[in-house]
Amino acid sequence: MTAYEVLVAPFAEFEFMRRALVGVLALSLGAGPVGAFLMLRRMSLTGDAMAHGILPGAAIGFLMSGLNLFAMTIGGLIAGLVVAVGAGVVARATQMKEDASLAAFYLISLALGVMIVSLRGSNLDLLHVLFGTVLGIDDATLLLIAGISTVTLATLAVIWRPLVLECVDPTFLASVSRAGGASHIAFLSLVVLNLVGGFHALGTLLAVGLMMLPAATARFFARDLTALVTLATLVAAASGVAGLLVSYHLGAPSGPAIILVAGCAYALAVLFGPVGGLIGRLVPRRHLEA
């Protein structure tokens, strides 16, 4: 097979592949930066919990209107925000730590969502909700994902400074500005938005994968924040394209293929990454070399 047949022909010949390509690239633009900040703020598991938290709302939307984009999107947004706010309220009003509170909400949400879909839908519907259908993206879903990515980039441009300061020194930010709380709420809203966009393509179980794996991979190659965000976005986009090609040529499910490609990139970064990779740590350094 020629390089054209392997890399270009699937997208040139099939419209559903082109739609999937545009969808994963749009997802990468929003998920890459958000994932990088989640990692820097040590909120990686928060993203995972919130990804499962959107399931009951999306399931209720499905129960009321079937596979209706608007109903499932609104339901997912409401459920995700309820989980984020509810876990925070429980953590602040009781002695329970926030990670334990999120774990409780995550387990309840996952079980409730699966139960709701199972009451009315078939096994195929359940698989669609849990794992998504990247190759079945339509025009409305593409517009939704592109809109979410646009809102994400615009909002990050506005809250960039307080968001960075809160990652580095939240105490200092609190002493000089009241923007920390507003930026935190705005950021959590962006997380929910991007998880809802990822839900339509990758399902609730895999939506967070395109957000966190590229960010974790980029951390082994970049120390600078701008470079980290840029590289995370590029890794997410490359994983999406490569995953679609693997799915096409091997006949594998597209969503898991994309996340597995991102996982392979992460494994290589752990081994060979110049910033803290295993191989680099085993190589002896000169005296006093950083």
Side-chain angles (χ1 to χ4, degrees), residues 29-68:
L29 286 174
V34 169
F37 276 107
L38 275 174
M39 183 184 63
L40 290 175
R41 294 160 66 93
R42 299 180 181 180
M43 294 173 62
S44 301
L45 292 179
T46 301
D48 185 55
M50 290 171 65
H52 296 86
I54 69 175
L55 182 56
I60 291 173
F62 168 79
L63 196 64
M64 297 175 61
S65 306
L67 295 174
N68 181 278

Side-chain angles (χ1 to χ4, degrees), residues 177-271:
S177 173
R178 296 182 179 179
S183 65
H184 181 68
I185 293 173
F187 177 69
L188 286 181
S189 300
L190 292 182
V191 173
V192 174
L193 273 174
N194 280 273
L195 288 174
V196 169
F199 155 76
H200 289 294
L202 300 171
T204 56
L205 294 184
L206 298 177
V208 75
L210 201 61
M211 191 177 287
M212 296 313 309
L213 283 172
T217 301
R219 188 65 185 87
F220 286 97
F221 291 92
R223 297 181 187 273
D224 177 73
L225 178 59
T226 303
L228 177 68
V229 169
T230 302
L231 188 55
T233 304
L234 292 176
V235 171
S239 299
V241 175
L244 288 175
L245 290 172
V246 169
S247 171
Y248 175 82
H249 290 294
L250 298 184
S254 51
I258 291 171
I259 303 306
L260 283 175
V261 168
C264 289
Y266 172 72
L268 291 174
V270 170
L271 290 174

Side-chain angles (χ1 to χ4, degrees), residues 71-162:
M72 295 179 73
T73 298
I74 296 301
L77 281 173
I78 294 173
L81 291 173
V82 167
V83 167
V85 174
V89 169
V90 170
R92 286 164 176 77
T94 68
Q95 294 183 345
M96 181 174 288
K97 300 294 184 181
E98 191 166 8
D99 59 342
S101 177
L102 276 169
F105 274 82
Y106 142 67
L107 292 170
I108 295 169
S109 298
L110 180 60
L112 180 60
V114 171
M115 177 70 74
I116 292 173
V117 176
S118 301
L119 286 176
R120 175 177 172 180
S122 63
N123 289 335
L124 184 62
D125 294 325
L126 183 59
L127 288 175
H128 171 85
V129 171
L130 293 179
F131 298 106
T133 52
V134 181
L135 300 181
I137 292 177
D138 56 15
D139 288 341
T141 306
L142 279 180
L143 289 174
L144 173 68
I145 295 173
I148 288 173
S149 296
T150 302
V151 170
T152 298
L153 295 177
T155 305
L156 284 177
V158 173
I159 66 173
W160 181 271
R161 287 191 176 184

